[in-house]
Amino acid sequence: MHLPAQKRSGLMRCVRRRYHPGMKKRTLILGAGGLAAIGAAGFGAWRASSQGAPQANKAVSARAAQGAAQDGGAREFFDTSMPDLQGQAVALSTFIGKPLLANFWATWCAPCVEEMPHLDAMAKSTPGVQFVGIGIDTAANIQKFVDKIPVSYRLLVAGHAGIALCRALGNSAGGLPFTVLFDAKGNKFDAILGEVQPGDLQSRIARLVAVSRT
């Protein structure tokens, strides 16, 4: 989707894409260089208490990449470190060794918030797979969110710089939510742009686990 330059000046755009008849309508939050406020019905209570669209902290430290990597961005992903909610740096390479689901999300992204209970339930029921949430947001906003809606899996803080990591992993639009599956060796296995569907994601995870056993 082409936008005039003046409308891409540091704002995240929420685009509702309609597919051909018979396909489910899906909402994506598309990154164009900044952050946007939550705007979907059903999230009024959280929206009222959130900080809207703050300037995200640029917390990610990663090696620069030129274009899409031949490995689908896996090397750049695992060469990255970012802080957890306590401010401790976490090297993503520490997740290599077991299958991993990495979910890029933000507190201001309504479909991200809507899918989190499903991801949390899967994380609890699939102990053989690691789950990590990578927030395109500030640590303060993420902490405020989990104080209201606890999440069992680990949450890291990428800030706005996480959008570049999304793009390196094949999400050229920088859209959210964005979920990536990696096998136990750190190879990119699968990716989902947009809100996950529990049944579909469960099938993908089952295939990931099977591949990781070989």
Side-chain angles (χ1 to χ4, degrees), residues 43 46 59 76 94 103 130 138 154 160 164 169 171 179 206 208:
F43 295 92
W46 169 248
E76 183 175 355
T94 60
N103 176 249
Q130 304 170 99
T138 64
R154 198 166 192 178
H160 175 63
L169 288 165
N171 176 3
T179 302
L208 170 64

Side-chain angles (χ1 to χ4, degrees), residues 19-212:
Y19 293 85
H20 61 75
M23 292 186 71
K24 186 176 181 179
K25 188 188 304 179
R26 177 173 293 177
T27 302
L28 305 179
I29 304 296
L30 298 184
L35 300 176
I38 293 176
F43 295 92
W46 169 248
R47 183 173 65 238
S49 62
S50 73
Q51 294 183 5
Q55 175 71 29
N57 57 313
K58 298 183 178 180
V60 173
S61 59
R63 299 177 187 176
Q66 297 295 327
Q70 291 184 351
D71 62 357
R75 176 175 294 183
E76 183 175 355
F77 179 84
F78 287 110
D79 279 349
T80 300
S81 65
M82 60 186 68
D84 60 18
L85 293 181
Q86 288 70 50
Q88 298 297 312
V90 176
L92 297 184
S93 59
T94 60
F95 290 104
I96 294 177
K98 290 177 63 177
L100 172 67
L101 181 150
N103 176 249
F104 291 84
W105 74 292
T107 63
W108 40 262
C109 165
C112 299
V113 173
E114 187 169 338
E115 73 179 3
M116 288 190 80
H118 301 303
L119 294 174
D120 192 47
M122 288 184 194
K124 292 175 180 177
S125 65
T126 319
V129 177
Q130 304 170 99
F131 281 62
V132 63
I134 299 178
I136 313 299
D137 212 320
T138 64
N141 276 0
I142 295 173
Q143 186 61 62
K144 186 179 294 186
F145 176 84
V146 296
D147 286 345
K148 294 176 179 291
I149 306 174
V151 177
S152 62
Y153 53 86
R154 198 166 192 178
L155 298 178
L156 304 180
V157 184
H160 175 63
I163 293 174
L165 197 55
C166 287
R167 289 174 174 152
L169 288 165
N171 176 3
S172 60
L176 296 177
F178 181 51
T179 302
V180 187
L181 302 178
F182 298 93
D183 67 21
K185 296 180 181 178
N187 300 308
K188 181 182 173 184
F189 176 78
D190 205 349
I192 303 168
L193 177 58
E195 185 178 341
V196 300
Q197 302 304 312
D200 173 67
L201 180 59
Q202 193 66 58
S203 295
R204 295 177 193 239
I205 289 176
R207 293 195 297 273
L208 170 64
V209 171
V211 167
S212 295

